[in-house]
Amino acid sequence: MIKDANFVPRGTRLAADVCVVGAGTAGIPLALSLSGKGLTVLLLEAEHVPGGATRHWNGRCVPLDPLDFQARPQVPNSGWPISYEGLLPYYARANAWLEAGAFAYDARQVLPAGPMVASVDGEVLRLHGLERYSCPTDFGRRYRKRMQVATDLRVLTGARCTALRLDATGGTIRGLDVATRAGNRFGVRARAVVLAAGALQTARLLLCSRDLAPPGASFALDAIGRYAHAPLSGTVGSFTVAGDPARMRHGFEQAADGAYCRRRLTIDAQQQDALGLMNAAARLVPADGAGDAAPASALAWWQAIGRHAHGLARAPWQAPSLLADGWRHAVAPRRLPEVAPRVPARRLAVELQVEQQPLPSSRVLLAEEGDTLGMRRLRVDWRQCLADVESARRSLRLMSDELARCRVGRLEFEPGTLREALLHRPPARLVGTARMGRDLRTSVVDPDGKLHTVGNLYVAGAPVFPTCGQADPALTEVALALRLADRLVQRLQPRRAPAEELYA
Amino acid sequence: MNVLVLGADLHVGARLVALLRQAPWAQVTGATVRGPARRGGPLRLDTPAALAQALVDTDAVVDCSAPDPAWRPDEVRGLAHAAQEAGSPRMVFLSGIAVYGHRHAVAHEHTDAPRVLGRRGRALLAAERHVGDYAATGAQAVVLRPGHVWGPGSDEGVHRLAEALRCGRLGDLGPAGDGWSNLVHVDDVCAAAMRAVQLPPAPGAVRTYNLAAPDSPRWNEYFIDLALAIGATPVRRLRQVPMRLRAALGALLQSWLGEPLISPQMLRTWRQHLKLDARAATRDLRLHWTPYPTALHEAATWYLRQARSREHRRRMPSLHPPAR
């Protein structure tokens, strides 16, 4: 059921087997996967509607690469404590949750047409990489009915968790303090607590609660809030096609399962290791397009309309196809991610998405001032390393050389402006503020997502990423949440006989 | 054992007769209570006297005629009456999922009937009561409540949906297709009926079993898988409002444009979060459910073969003279 937290009697103490804080990308799949397993679940959402970050996102789904899970000398603090193969079954399920079609990210198997560019050979460039696009699915709306009909799941909206209460030893969560904007306050007692509120709010809650811990408690982990990072992206250069531009396949194509896909250009994993490069992927986009790296705003919307009007004036015969694409982009239930001119262009723009190093100095901190509920606000001190930009430059140079060698076209970029192109604005979604690892000094949670020093506190989703790779985090967030749900069921061992799985 | 199968002209009944013919322990007679009599077709029992005659020396009667749109629950009362006079053979009645109404829950066999029931649900529940009255006289009776029957030969479960997928009237429905499909392969329903005929005697009480494969997916997943299997791609994501409008005009669109009929009831079913708990059937009837991928492959193969043959007929009418 879904209820407004203002209707919970003031001062009561709600009980549940699992309390999930945050009904968003990780929280909703996690809570629904726990439903029907003989556990009672309480899902707290600070906003008035569930959905979190999925309410406004671009829908891009890309899994991490196997090399992202390895410790690489060229990426300090890299290496996941879990394997890519271990996460694979959850990736397949995560794809279904995000409605991005089948878990198939090889263009050779998914798209019937040939490669992005013909005649590229050698072992350096990979042209069959793929990114899939979700509807984009808003979890709050898509799975609302499931949340409503689940008898063992209670969703409270407008419920902001303000503190985690530890017991005297600091080793177990005793309860949670919850407040609403209207002033209602109540508590929650749970056998396990999962923080799934995104990298910023999870870190804020942990940092706030760290101060509340009794003196000498082992809760205080230095890594909380550190290593905040995200994939860097931007339009970095241009690509001029050498042959017939109609033979380039760089736009959106629909897979048989209905999901829109786009091809990506990546560098072979062995080459990355040999040359000491960080992971990167490039997309070729229309040169006059805003690109999906641009912020969604009314101004960007009008600029796009202006661009298309200008394009139509030059090629009026494109009008029907542009209108159809406009309909697919703005009205259709599965959105075409971007409207692009249908006439093949010789000159394209290059969008690069590159991994960022996780730095301990890049962190989120508590500010002095508090909000209306008495929680200290968050200050984001996101830092970058010039090595990230340098790696991007070398990756682009390598791509450029290879494409020129194969006589496919000319990739041009200005090294001097690369830094500005990649760091022109802070990333939309940070990861890594409660990273996963085995070392207590450099990580916050263990490979299962449990805090190293607290027996029943778990973190799900973006905060646990040790490294971000070049992929958007949404798909991996959902996969990790589903994995944590399985681990929780094993750990909590439901006392009642599990019902048939109904809701997840 | 002499087994009389009623509704032998329908999907489940016909398949049950075919499977019982292969069983060494059964002597089967296929019969129907309505429809035109055909040479070589099922026996036509359209009068009480004919029914009473057919029940003489019958050890078990399996009534599979409820899926017929013209079926009425009174027919079960007539059957029970005739069976009682003929020495009370065991009765197996194929009911349906409609008895659980429009609720969103896990449905067990002992779940109470909802207060509000559709026309079909009321009819099936009335028929189940007649079966109960029959059992109360000391006879043996089993009620099977299959979910949505599919597999080769299924018109509602495969053919109509595949046609709708092909012409873009069906696809991924989002929240409107999020309900559980409760699919059950026709062979699993027949296996359950055959085991029900052979169950150890328990006179005086009706034993009721839900039938749905434990791995049956949500409707969306089934639609997408079926579309991929029959090549109706790319799968379209559809909005709810146009679907409802088309469903409201369903019969008109069917007659004017030849579109496959999608009714408002079907839309309601597809968004219903109702899951049949079939653990009792698995245990007591020792069922080995057909795995979903196998059933999907069979259904798609059957549909494609049928579509090819229809296409061949359309292109070469001279090779396929109309049947007299």
Side-chain angles (χ1 to χ4, degrees):
Chain A
M1 73 188 93
I2 303 178
K3 274 191 168 181
D4 189 327
N6 285 313
F7 294 106
V8 176
R10 191 182 180 86
T12 50
R13 204 166 168 80
L14 305 176
D17 286 320
V18 183
C19 176
V20 182
V21 179
T25 317
I28 289 177
L30 175 74
L32 283 171
S33 299
L34 289 170
S35 174
K37 299 287 198 304
L39 298 165
T40 52
V41 185
L42 181 67
L43 179 56
L44 304 176
E45 171 54 42
E47 300 296 325
H48 287 290
V49 280
T54 62
R55 288 170 63 201
H56 310 284
W57 70 302
N58 61 10
R60 187 160 53 222
C61 299
V62 189
L64 291 173
D65 297 319
L67 76 101
D68 290 321
F69 290 79
Q70 298 162 8
R72 289 162 289 159
Q74 68 269 32
V75 188
N77 305 306
S78 63
W80 286 56
I82 60 173
S83 69
Y84 175 76
E85 289 72 24
L87 203 56
L88 261 183
Y90 300 101
Y91 263 139
R93 284 168 55 194
N95 238 59
W97 275 91
L98 287 159
E99 300 186 298
F103 184 73
Y105 285 86
D106 189 326
R108 293 169 296 186
Q109 292 157 11
V110 177
L111 302 175
M116 181 197 271
V117 198
S119 75
V120 169
D121 53 6
E123 292 298 314
V124 176
L125 290 189
R126 292 275 172 258
L127 289 105
H128 47 258
L130 208 62
E131 54 193 29
R132 283 174 168 269
Y133 282 80
S134 168
C135 288
T137 302
D138 172 353
F139 280 4
R141 292 174 65 183
R142 174 65 180 82
Y143 301 115
R144 186 175 186 82
K145 191 74 186 178
R146 291 195 199 184
M147 290 189 273
Q148 277 174 339
V149 301
T151 50
D152 51 2
L153 169 65
R154 193 170 178 191
V155 185
L156 292 179
T157 57
R160 185 178 289 272
C161 177
T162 54
L164 306 167
R165 298 284 173 194
L166 294 155
D167 66 0
T169 63
T172 312
I173 293 287
R174 189 161 44 86
L176 274 72
D177 292 351
V178 183
T180 68
R181 287 213 178 108
N184 190 17
R185 286 182 184 269
F186 56 93
V188 172
R189 195 181 68 244
R191 290 170 65 201
V193 175
V194 184
L195 304 182
L200 297 182
Q201 292 305 322
T202 298
R204 183 185 182 192
L205 199 51
L206 286 171
L207 290 169
C208 282
S209 306
R210 186 161 63 170
D211 295 343
L212 295 170
S218 54
F219 184 74
L221 292 165
D222 185 54
I224 296 172
R226 294 186 182 273
Y227 303 97
H229 66 294
L232 307 172
S233 66
T235 306
V236 293
S238 67
F239 179 73
T240 312
V241 185
D244 179 8
R247 297 178 68 184
M248 289 286 298
R249 294 183 191 86
H250 59 85
F252 291 101
E253 292 170 67
Q254 212 170 5
D257 50 40
Y260 285 104
C261 303
R262 186 158 61 169
R263 296 159 200 266
R264 309 152 65 84
L265 194 66
T266 51
I267 297 171
D268 179 68
Q270 286 186 347
Q271 294 290 329
Q272 284 190 38
D273 270 346
L275 300 171
L277 294 172
M278 291 161 69
N279 206 350
R283 291 183 285 268
L284 300 180
V285 299
D288 56 352
D292 56 9
S297 66
L299 180 66
W301 177 256
W302 283 110
Q303 281 173 343
I305 289 178
R307 268 197 317 277
H308 288 306
H310 185 243
L312 267 183
R314 283 184 300 168
W317 58 89
Q318 281 190 46
S321 62
L322 259 183
L323 276 176
D325 280 355
W327 174 272
R328 286 189 201 110
H329 175 67
V331 183
R334 182 175 281 283
R335 278 184 49 192
L336 174 68
E338 201 180 310
V339 181
R342 289 290 181 95
V343 176
R346 186 166 292 279
R347 194 162 172 277
L348 301 163
V350 179
E351 264 183 24
L352 191 72
Q353 188 148 324
V354 63
E355 182 174 12
Q356 192 199 350
Q357 279 185 33
L359 300 169
S361 57
S362 174
R363 62 191 298 197
V364 293
L365 303 146
L366 289 179
E368 285 307 314
E369 72 271 23
D371 64 9
T372 49
L373 297 176
M375 260 183 107
R376 285 169 70 185
R377 289 187 194 279
L378 209 59
R379 188 163 65 81
V380 180
D381 184 10
W382 175 58
R383 297 194 182 192
Q384 321 84 31
C385 181
L386 279 179
D388 303 339
V389 182
E390 175 58 18
S391 174
R393 187 193 65 76
R394 289 172 58 211
S395 300
L396 274 173
R397 174 60 56 208
L398 187 64
M399 289 178 186
S400 170
D401 291 349
E402 273 299 300
L403 290 170
R405 184 184 67 76
C406 301
R407 297 166 191 249
V408 172
R410 201 169 64 248
L411 193 157
E412 294 167 303
F413 66 98
E414 189 58 57
T417 60
L418 207 53
R419 182 177 176 187
E420 193 192 338
L422 291 173
L423 306 174
H424 63 294
R425 62 196 167 90
R429 299 213 63 194
L430 286 169
V431 303
T433 52
R435 68 201 308 255
M436 185 188 273
R438 296 187 194 279
D439 187 346
L440 268 69
R441 288 167 302 173
T442 57
S443 64
V444 179
V445 297
D446 70 8
D448 281 351
K450 187 186 80 64
L451 243 75
H452 284 305
T453 51
V454 182
N456 61 343
L457 180 59
Y458 297 79
V459 179
V464 305
F465 286 34
T467 53
C468 60
Q470 43 80 13
D472 296 75
L475 183 68
T476 309
E477 273 186 72
V478 178
L480 285 170
L482 299 175
R483 180 176 176 274
L484 176 57
D486 276 6
R487 298 290 190 278
L488 277 174
V489 172
Q490 283 168 11
R491 278 204 186 184
L492 298 178
Q493 293 175 340
R495 287 159 294 187
R496 294 177 296 281
E500 288 272 312
E501 190 175 320
L502 171 61
Y503 307 108
Chain B
M1 180 187 269
N2 291 326
V3 183
L4 176 68
V5 177
L6 293 178
D9 54 335
L10 302 172
H11 179 219
V12 177
R15 182 71 185 144
L16 180 60
V17 169
L19 289 176
L20 278 170
R21 286 212 171 111
Q22 295 166 14
W25 52 268
Q27 290 289 321
V28 64
T29 309
T32 172
V33 290
R34 69 177 69 76
R38 282 187 290 116
R39 192 185 301 164
L43 196 64
R44 195 169 175 220
L45 307 173
D46 52 351
T47 61
L51 186 59
Q53 178 63 35
L55 283 167
V56 173
D57 293 334
T58 294
D59 300 303
V61 55
V62 184
D63 187 356
C64 307
S65 48
D68 190 332
W71 171 86
R72 287 171 294 107
D74 289 350
E75 291 172 17
V76 178
R77 187 165 53 190
L79 174 66
H81 185 71
Q84 210 175 333
E85 301 224 324
S88 297
R90 174 175 296 205
M91 187 190 291
V92 177
F93 173 64
L94 247 71
S95 180
I97 194 173
V99 296
Y100 294 112
H102 308 313
R103 61 167 54 140
H104 304 280
V106 178
H108 308 280
E109 288 83 353
H110 49 79
T111 303
D112 291 335
R115 286 180 192 166
V116 183
L117 264 179
R119 193 174 58 84
R120 171 105 186 130
R122 285 198 304 274
L124 286 174
L125 213 57
E128 286 190 11
R129 283 200 198 101
H130 295 319
V131 177
D133 294 343
Y134 175 65
T137 64
Q140 298 167 42
V142 179
V143 170
L144 301 176
R145 290 175 180 163
H148 296 96
V149 182
W150 70 319
S154 167
D155 178 48
E156 284 203 6
V158 180
H159 182 268
R160 196 193 297 186
L161 301 179
E163 290 288 309
L165 285 165
R166 276 216 158 160
C167 66
R169 294 290 173 246
L170 190 58
D172 175 6
L173 305 184
D178 207 29
W180 288 107
S181 62
N182 294 303
L183 291 173
V184 54
H185 192 281
V186 60
D187 285 358
D188 295 344
V189 180
C190 295
M194 287 160 76
R195 299 266 162 74
V197 165
Q198 296 171 294
L199 271 178
V206 183
R207 284 176 287 190
T208 305
Y209 295 106
N210 288 335
L211 301 178
D215 62 350
S216 61
R218 292 180 186 271
W219 284 110
N220 276 335
E221 197 181 330
Y222 172 46
F223 295 154
I224 294 171
D225 290 345
L226 185 61
L228 291 173
I230 64 168
T233 55
V235 183
R236 291 181 66 190
R237 171 88 167 200
L238 300 172
R239 277 199 184 282
Q240 282 191 53
V241 175
M243 284 286 289
R244 286 188 188 182
L245 274 176
R246 269 202 295 274
L249 301 170
L252 282 177
L253 290 176
Q254 190 188 22
S255 57
W256 288 349
L257 305 175
E259 282 190 6
L261 181 69
I262 290 177
S263 63
Q265 287 76 20
M266 290 164 84
L267 294 189
R268 193 183 298 138
T269 303
W270 295 339
R271 60 173 183 265
Q272 187 182 3
H273 292 249
L274 172 74
K275 182 147 192 175
L276 290 187
D277 181 352
R279 282 177 292 183
T282 310
R283 186 184 60 235
D284 294 356
L285 304 177
R286 304 187 317 282
L287 291 178
H288 300 286
W289 304 96
T290 309
Y292 171 67
T294 311
L296 181 74
H297 176 71
E298 283 180 17
T301 310
W302 167 78
Y303 170 76
L304 289 174
R305 196 182 303 134
Q306 204 197 30
R308 268 199 301 273
S309 132
R310 208 171 43 234
E311 184 64 19
H312 193 257
R313 274 184 197 171
R314 196 178 63 77
R315 287 192 179 169
M316 308 240 178
S318 57
L319 293 178
H320 303 277
R324 284 183 194 167

